[in-house]
Amino acid sequence: MSTKASLLLQKQLAHLKKHPIEGFSAGLIDESNIYEWQIMIMGPSETPYEGGIFYATLTFTPEYPDKPPKMKFTSEMWHPNVYKEGEVCISILHEGEDAYGYEKANERWTPVHTVESILISVISMLSSPNDESPANIDAAKEWRSQREVFNKKVQRIVRKSQDA
């Protein structure tokens, strides 16, 4: 039985296949499960991630688009807004009110977001980390105060991603 979520996800997948966006590609991990997507992101040019090929999963719930998906890098990633286990932490993937008042309501999840808008936000995150609200405190500290060390770690990850 098709739900609102599965129909919307099928439509978004078809749109991305017909109109690919530079910088990423998306597809289903298993054709029988519309809720689990594999994402491939090219490291944005003029960033430490340039030349990298990074894989991630997007996991949707049947409540999509009312609830955001979860995104997790399956490739190694060193970034202030990515937990050490790979989960992406950006405003667009957070639902509801921010209990700490850090994120404005218009920066958080709303049902108008699409797979495309999520991935564009993730590419933007790679280009310009938010080190004020880090998921990976060690990466954020390096980003702020030891940029050369940070960049060397990322370059190693980029080289590794090219061999995968």
Side-chain angles (χ1 to χ4, degrees):
M1 179 173 107
S2 292
T3 64
K4 174 178 137 184
S6 67
L7 292 172
L8 183 58
L9 288 168
Q10 288 169 17
K11 184 177 173 184
Q12 289 181 19
L13 181 61
H15 178 79
L16 284 172
K17 284 182 176 176
K18 200 178 220 176
H19 307 283
I21 307 288
E22 190 173 332
F24 69 83
S25 67
L28 299 180
I29 292 173
D30 173 350
E31 293 299 316
S32 68
N33 183 358
I34 193 71
Y35 298 107
E36 292 282 334
W37 292 36
Q38 177 159 34
I39 308 299
M40 188 273 301
I41 295 175
M42 302 294 292
S45 60
E46 298 179 33
T47 73
Y49 302 94
E50 182 173 11
I53 302 163
F54 304 102
Y55 292 92
T57 56
L58 258 179
T59 305
F60 299 87
T61 69
E63 291 82 32
Y64 178 81
D66 298 319
K67 292 193 178 286
K70 297 234 180 280
M71 184 168 180
K72 183 175 182 175
F73 277 98
T74 53
S75 299
E76 187 178 347
M77 180 54 66
W78 184 248
H79 190 283
N81 307 116
V82 178
Y83 287 99
K84 291 180 181 177
E85 306 78 37
E87 190 173 333
V88 175
C89 180
I90 56 175
S91 302
I92 193 176
L93 295 177
H94 299 158
E95 65 177 315
E97 290 293 313
D98 181 3
Y100 304 104
Y102 178 76
E103 296 171 342
K104 297 180 186 98
N106 66 348
E107 296 171 334
R108 294 172 74 86
W109 180 260
T110 65
V112 300
H113 286 301
T114 62
V115 172
E116 184 177 326
S117 66
I118 294 164
L119 295 176
I120 289 170
S121 292
V122 170
I123 290 169
S124 174
M125 171 202 82
L126 291 174
S127 300
S128 133
N130 175 358
D131 64 352
E132 293 173 27
S133 176
N136 183 330
I137 292 168
D138 295 332
K141 284 180 183 172
E142 277 186 8
W143 168 260
R144 273 190 217 119
S145 58
Q146 296 180 290
R147 192 67 62 94
E148 252 181 66
V149 173
F150 178 89
N151 287 344
K152 280 187 177 162
K153 274 188 186 162
V154 172
Q155 287 165 1
R156 183 186 58 76
I157 290 168
V158 165
R159 282 193 305 276
K160 203 170 164 183
S161 79
Q162 294 166 337
D163 296 336

